[in-house]
């Protein structure tokens, strides 16, 4: 069990005080919680442990060091954390600098029913788990697949991803949150 004494005290204090426990988001996290470009992470709702605690991790596989404009890249978001009962993630791809810094870079597309893409208030697309995608067949973590269509023009792209390893108690307490940043350069070769 991952709940420490301080967390157990916090949960008891919420119950005794009658304070509302935040809603968990198994169907989809609220947009804008990747930890990038000034955004918070899932720690906004899931409390108790520090970001990237307990030796777990989240990573994105399938990204090249340098992308070719207009090329589709199949990606896998991989969460590793022991005792995962339910899981979720959110990922965004944005230009890293210049006049387009922080703006959407390319197109994120789901591959299967475990992933969806939702636009935030400012139009930024966020890939995330669906309710089906929150199910965890392996207690050592979870994975999700999607496709990134690289932008036709532009510079460096920064991917921010945050993931939640939930303990399955239907509360935001005792869950573990992981976040990562991946930078991908643009291929500057002239077109053939």
């Amino acid at each position: 069990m991952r709940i420490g004494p301080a967390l157990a005290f916090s949960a008891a204090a919420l119950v005794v005080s009658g304070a509302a426990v935040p809603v968990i988001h198994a169907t989809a996290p609220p947009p804008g919680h990747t930890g990038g470009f000034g955004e918070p992470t899932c720690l906004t709702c899931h409390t108790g442990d520090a970001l990237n605690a307990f030796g777990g991790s989240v990573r994105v596989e399938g990204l090249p060091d340098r992308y070719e404009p207009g090329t589709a890249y199949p990606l896998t978001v991989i969460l590793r954390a022991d005792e995962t009962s339910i899981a979720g993630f959110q990922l965004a791809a944005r230009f890293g600098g210049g006049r387009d810094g922080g703006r959407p870079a390319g197109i994120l597309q789901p591959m299967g029913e475990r992933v969806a893409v939702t636009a935030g208030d400012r139009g930024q697309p966020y890939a995330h788990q669906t309710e089906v995608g929150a199910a965890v067949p392996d207690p050592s973590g979870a994975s999700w697949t999607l496709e990134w269509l690289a932008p036709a023009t532009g510079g460096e792209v920064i991917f921010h991803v945050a993931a939640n390893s939930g303990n399955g108690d239907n509360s935001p307490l005792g869950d573990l949150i992981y976040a990562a940043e991946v930078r991908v350069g643009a291929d500057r070769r002239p077109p053939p």
Side-chain angles (χ1 to χ4, degrees), residues 36-134:
F37 288 92
E39 294 176 347
T41 65
C42 308
L43 282 175
T44 298
C45 294
H46 299 270
T47 60
D49 292 300
L51 187 64
N52 297 324
F54 294 92
S57 66
V58 63
R59 68 182 189 275
V60 182
E61 290 188 348
L63 288 170
D65 291 332
R66 303 186 78 70
Y67 69 87
E68 293 183 32
T71 301
Y73 295 93
L75 307 180
T76 304
V77 175
I78 299 173
L79 168 66
R80 288 288 167 238
D82 290 336
E83 299 180 30
T84 300
S85 296
I86 188 169
F89 83 100
Q90 188 171 94
L91 176 139
R94 292 174 272 224
F95 287 110
R99 65 181 173 84
D100 289 329
R103 295 181 52 112
I107 299 170
L108 299 172
Q109 299 180 86
M111 292 177 69
E113 64 182 358
R114 293 180 47 81
V115 175
V117 176
T118 301
D121 293 342
R122 296 186 176 136
Q124 173 64 49
Y126 294 95
H128 57 84
Q129 91 287 346
T130 61
E131 188 168 10
V132 171

Side-chain angles (χ1 to χ4, degrees), residues 7 20-21 41 53 59 74 85 90 103 145 150 152 160 169 184 188 191:
L7 188 54
V21 176
T41 65
R59 68 182 189 275
S85 296
Q90 188 171 94
R103 295 181 52 112
T145 56
H160 290 102
D169 69 355
V184 178
R188 298 289 186 192

Side-chain angles (χ1 to χ4, degrees), residues 6-34:
L7 188 54
F9 174 77
S10 296
L14 283 173
V15 172
V16 171
S17 71
V21 176
V23 176
I24 54 176
H25 304 281
T27 57
H33 287 76
T34 65

Side-chain angles (χ1 to χ4, degrees), residues 2 45 53 71 81 91 96 143 158 167:
R2 301 186 288 201
C45 294
T71 301
L91 176 139
S143 65
I158 303 176
N167 62 10

